[in-house]
């Protein structure tokens, strides 16, 4: 059972371009990269030549005679004579697990110039030598960052078409509540998705069995695999420190207030400068999302933050559930009680949705005061603050920021809560399930004109 993915549309558009360059698909392990490429090749090419540098390390010798396209093709055919190489771009050469052999990137230039074969590379960012790959193939490849399923892909897996998403986006744009039946259905689906996460294996099993059987064990197994990869691939950094950071993410998100990640809590005597590389490694691996603390809610957002202050969220909320203590995880799964972690779990859900839509993460806290804005995103020449509630409480910090004359770039905001869509006092309320639509709402996708209520005072 193949689950429809957004990378499918990207690959189809790529194939339609006569000047297409080799692609490097990046992302954490077990998110469906290999399966997506295989399905694409099956429906598009006469022949798929798949070279996996983990399963078959013998292929690491294919550049011994040179990096030219024909030299590489000849070397592959010597090692595996069953491969077929029809020309005129009827063959897709798929280099998988390239983190094991980044030297193959040097050949991408020659494949791009030759034009006889299409090439896709894929690798986990866990330990991938991305700088080496980029320096060896600059100007001769395209990058695509892939993640686990977002909520829209989960809806596709459950059999829903684009009509449901169109209805949700239209309601947001028009500031009109969703129909009661739609809201009820979407809320239930979103609770399932938040509990399961977006790892393809887990979602597929849930679809096939219509149950959560084995989901917690699968989540913990994947986290265990990530930990094993730290031990296998990390060089030049303290592996124990990386694992300590990973293990403390759920602990620090569970705090009721001020979820800033504190290195001092990771280990006795830990200093921030000693752990900077460890945090960066997890972020680059696609396992963790980092949310920077802004110095002030003003533009530009990029560069306007304190590098020493940040929050850390898991890249897949389902894996965060798998890292909880057993009784807490069971409460989330069995009783669908996401509130056991107060706001931390909901924040992770929204952070995940924003990152999967391509947004960077920023938050703001006013000194030591209780005023804190969970996320801030850019919309043209304005800043839109987002406050995430575990229920449907009043968004005090959000309203205070909007009302402040000190920050004219902030004219309206978003409250994400257990509620229907509504608009009051320059605050757009929306259910958590709509988080994946925020980027489309703010960028005006599927709309020829900007939203009139983007302007202050409207």
């Amino acid at each position: 059972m193949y689950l429809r993915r957004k990378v499918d549309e990207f690959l189809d558009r790529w194939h339609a371009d006569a000047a297409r360059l080799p692609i490097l698909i990046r992302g954490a392990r077990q998110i469906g990269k290999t399966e997506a490429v295989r399905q694409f090749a099956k429906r598009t090419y006469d022949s798929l030549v798949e070279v996996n540098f983990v399963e078959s390390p013998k292929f690491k010798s294919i550049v011994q005679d040179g990096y030219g396209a024909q030299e590489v093709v000849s070397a592959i055919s010597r090692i595996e004579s069953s491969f077929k190489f029809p020309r005129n771009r009827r063959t897709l050469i798929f280099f998988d697990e390239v983190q094991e052999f980044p030297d193959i990137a040097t050949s991408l230039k020659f494949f791009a110039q030759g034009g006889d074969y299409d090439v896709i590379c894929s690798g986990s960012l866990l330990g991938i030598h991305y700088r080496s790959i980029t320096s060896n193939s600059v100007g001769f490849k395209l990058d695509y960052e892939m993640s686990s399923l977002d909520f829209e892909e989960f809806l596709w897996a459950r059999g829903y078409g684009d009509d449901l998403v169109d209805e949700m986006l239209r309601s947001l744009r028009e500031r009109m509540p969703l129909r009661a039946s739609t809201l009820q259905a979407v809320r239930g689906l979103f609770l399932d998705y938040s509990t399961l996460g977006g790892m393809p294996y887990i979602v597929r099993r849930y679809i096939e069995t219509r149950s959560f059987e084995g989901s917690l064990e699968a989540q913990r197994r994947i986290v265990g695999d990530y930990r094993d990869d730290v031990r296998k691939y990390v060089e030049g950094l303290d592996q124990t420190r990386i694992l300590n950071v990973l293990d403390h993410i759920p602990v620090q998100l569970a705090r009721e207030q001020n979820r800033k990640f504190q290195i001092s809590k990771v280990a006795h005597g830990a200093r921030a400068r000693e752990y900077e590389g460890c945090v960066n490694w997890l972020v680059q691996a696609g396992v963790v999302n980092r949310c920077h603390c802004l110095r002030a809610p003003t533009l530009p957002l990029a560069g306007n933050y304190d590098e020493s202050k940040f929050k850390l969220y898991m890249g897949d909320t389902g894996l965060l559930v798998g890292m909880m203590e057993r009784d807490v995880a069971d409460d989330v799964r069995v009783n669908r009680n996401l509130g056991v972690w107060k706001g931390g779990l909901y924040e992770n859900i929204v952070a995940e949705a924003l990152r999967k839509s391509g947004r960077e993460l920023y938050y703001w806290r006013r000194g030591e005061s209780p005023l804190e804005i969970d996320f801030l995103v850019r919309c043209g020449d304005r800043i839109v603050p987002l406050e995430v509630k575990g229920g449907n409480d009043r968004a005090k910090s959000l309203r205070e920021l909007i009302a402040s004359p000190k920050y004219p770039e902030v004219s309206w905001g978003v409250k994400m809560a257990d509620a229907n869509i509504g608009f009051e006092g320059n605050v757009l309320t929306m259910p958590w399930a709509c988080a994946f639509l925020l980027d489309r709402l703010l960028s005006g996708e599927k709309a020829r004109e900007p939203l009139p209520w983007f302007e202050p005072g409207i």
Side-chain angles (χ1 to χ4, degrees):
M1 176 186 179
Y2 179 68
L3 304 178
R4 175 187 172 191
R5 304 298 303 275
K6 292 182 177 178
V7 70
D8 301 340
E9 299 173 9
F10 168 81
L11 292 173
D12 287 340
R13 291 194 303 270
W14 171 75
H15 185 261
D17 183 358
R20 54 190 176 272
L21 296 172
I23 299 176
L24 175 63
I25 300 178
R26 302 182 288 151
R29 67 178 302 174
Q30 299 190 44
I31 59 172
K33 300 184 297 294
T34 300
E35 187 178 23
V37 174
R38 287 173 178 168
Q39 287 293 323
F40 167 65
K42 184 178 180 180
R43 68 176 184 270
T44 310
Y45 292 89
D46 295 340
S47 177
L48 170 64
V49 175
E50 182 175 336
V51 174
N52 187 305
F53 293 113
V54 169
E55 295 179 358
S56 301
K58 59 186 177 182
F59 283 108
K60 294 180 182 180
S61 66
I62 60 178
V63 296
Q64 287 182 351
D65 296 333
Y67 293 93
Q70 196 53 55
E71 285 85 356
V72 172
V73 167
S74 296
I76 294 174
S77 64
R78 278 199 308 271
I79 296 173
E80 183 51 71
S81 60
S82 64
F83 284 147
K84 306 299 180 184
F85 294 87
R87 294 176 181 270
N88 299 322
R89 295 195 158 181
R90 291 182 293 135
T91 297
L92 176 66
I93 299 176
F94 178 31
F95 295 120
D96 202 6
E97 304 288 4
V98 295
Q99 76 275 4
E100 286 286 337
F101 190 56
D103 203 28
I104 192 61
T106 304
S107 70
L108 299 185
K109 172 182 178 180
F110 303 101
F111 277 106
Q113 293 174 335
D116 285 330
Y117 310 100
D118 286 343
V119 177
I120 295 179
C121 298
S122 175
S124 166
L125 280 182
L126 289 169
I128 193 169
H129 301 278
Y130 185 65
R131 291 183 180 177
S132 174
I133 289 176
T134 298
S135 63
N136 290 340
S137 57
V138 61
F140 294 98
K141 68 171 177 61
L142 298 176
D143 287 292
Y144 184 88
E145 188 169 354
M146 192 172 169
S147 59
S148 60
L149 280 78
D150 67 9
F151 185 50
E152 185 171 17
E153 291 171 315
F154 181 80
L155 292 175
W156 293 342
R158 281 295 311 266
Y160 291 87
D162 295 331
D163 291 348
L164 177 58
V165 173
D166 289 343
E167 179 185 347
M168 294 167 68
L169 182 58
R170 185 169 57 252
S171 294
L172 286 173
R173 292 189 59 79
E174 296 174 356
R175 296 179 291 174
M176 296 296 293
L178 292 167
R179 293 177 297 168
S181 58
T182 300
L183 180 63
Q184 182 178 1
V186 167
R187 186 179 186 276
L189 290 163
F190 188 73
L191 286 173
D192 287 353
Y193 170 72
S194 301
T195 304
L196 292 162
M199 288 296 178
Y201 169 80
I202 297 174
V203 174
R204 185 181 300 109
R205 183 183 176 93
Y206 159 80
I207 297 297
E208 292 173 345
T209 65
R210 285 292 191 269
S211 76
F212 292 85
E213 179 184 356
S215 61
L216 181 59
E217 290 72 20
Q219 289 163 344
R220 293 187 168 184
R221 184 169 60 250
I222 292 172
V223 173
D225 289 342
Y226 284 173
R227 295 174 63 86
D228 289 342
D229 279 347
V230 170
R231 300 184 183 98
K232 179 178 180 181
Y233 290 116
V234 170
E235 298 177 359
L237 292 171
D238 189 318
Q239 298 176 1
T240 301
R241 288 177 178 173
I242 294 177
L243 295 176
N244 283 343
V245 170
L246 181 63
D247 290 341
H248 275 77
I249 291 174
V251 175
Q252 300 206 25
L253 282 180
R255 295 201 302 263
E256 290 194 26
Q257 294 181 343
N258 191 8
R259 298 183 183 90
K260 181 187 76 171
F261 194 84
Q262 296 177 291
I263 295 296
S264 61
K265 303 294 184 181
V266 171
H268 179 70
R271 295 180 174 87
R273 66 176 181 272
E274 299 171 341
Y275 281 79
E276 181 179 357
C278 301
V279 173
N280 289 339
W281 194 93
L282 287 168
V283 171
Q284 292 168 3
V287 176
V288 166
N289 291 324
R290 175 168 45 197
C291 183
H292 290 287
C293 182
L294 293 174
R295 294 187 177 92
T298 58
L299 293 176
L301 299 181
N304 177 29
Y305 57 81
D306 184 340
E307 293 184 356
S308 67
K309 298 178 182 179
F310 54 85
K311 298 180 183 180
L312 293 180
Y313 301 100
M314 289 298 295
D316 185 274
T317 303
L319 299 187
L320 177 64
V321 173
M323 296 172 71
M324 297 176 181
E325 295 180 1
R326 181 91 197 196
D327 58 339
V328 178
D330 285 344
D331 197 14
V332 170
R333 288 168 54 254
V334 178
N335 300 322
R336 301 163 73 83
N337 181 15
L338 275 65
V340 293
W341 264 27
K342 305 299 180 184
L345 191 58
Y346 294 99
E347 282 187 30
N348 201 99
I349 290 168
V350 175
E352 177 186 351
L354 290 171
R355 281 298 299 131
K356 286 181 175 179
S357 65
R359 294 273 179 171
E360 296 297 329
L361 303 179
Y362 304 98
Y363 78 101
W364 179 62
R365 183 179 180 87
R366 188 176 63 187
E368 297 302 319
S369 76
L371 194 157
E372 180 174 322
I373 304 298
D374 299 318
F375 302 100
L376 299 99
V377 297
R378 182 166 186 164
C379 177
D381 60 355
R382 307 207 182 277
I383 295 174
V384 180
L386 315 176
E387 189 166 348
V388 183
K389 311 302 291 186
N392 192 20
D393 302 335
R394 184 175 176 82
K396 297 179 181 178
S397 294
L398 188 62
R399 295 182 182 277
E400 184 175 344
L401 177 61
I402 293 171
S404 173
K406 294 179 61 177
Y407 306 109
E409 292 163 322
V410 178
S411 56
W412 66 284
V414 175
K415 181 179 83 169
M416 311 208 68
D418 186 13
N420 206 333
I421 296 171
F423 190 80
E424 180 184 1
N426 281 1
V427 173
L428 175 66
T429 298
M430 65 173 69
W432 307 300
C434 290
F436 77 100
L437 289 171
L438 272 169
D439 183 68
R440 263 175 268 187
L441 176 69
L442 299 180
S443 63
E445 183 178 324
K446 296 186 179 181
R448 296 184 182 275
E449 298 179 359
L451 298 177
W453 43 276
F454 277 8
E455 298 302 319
I458 295 181

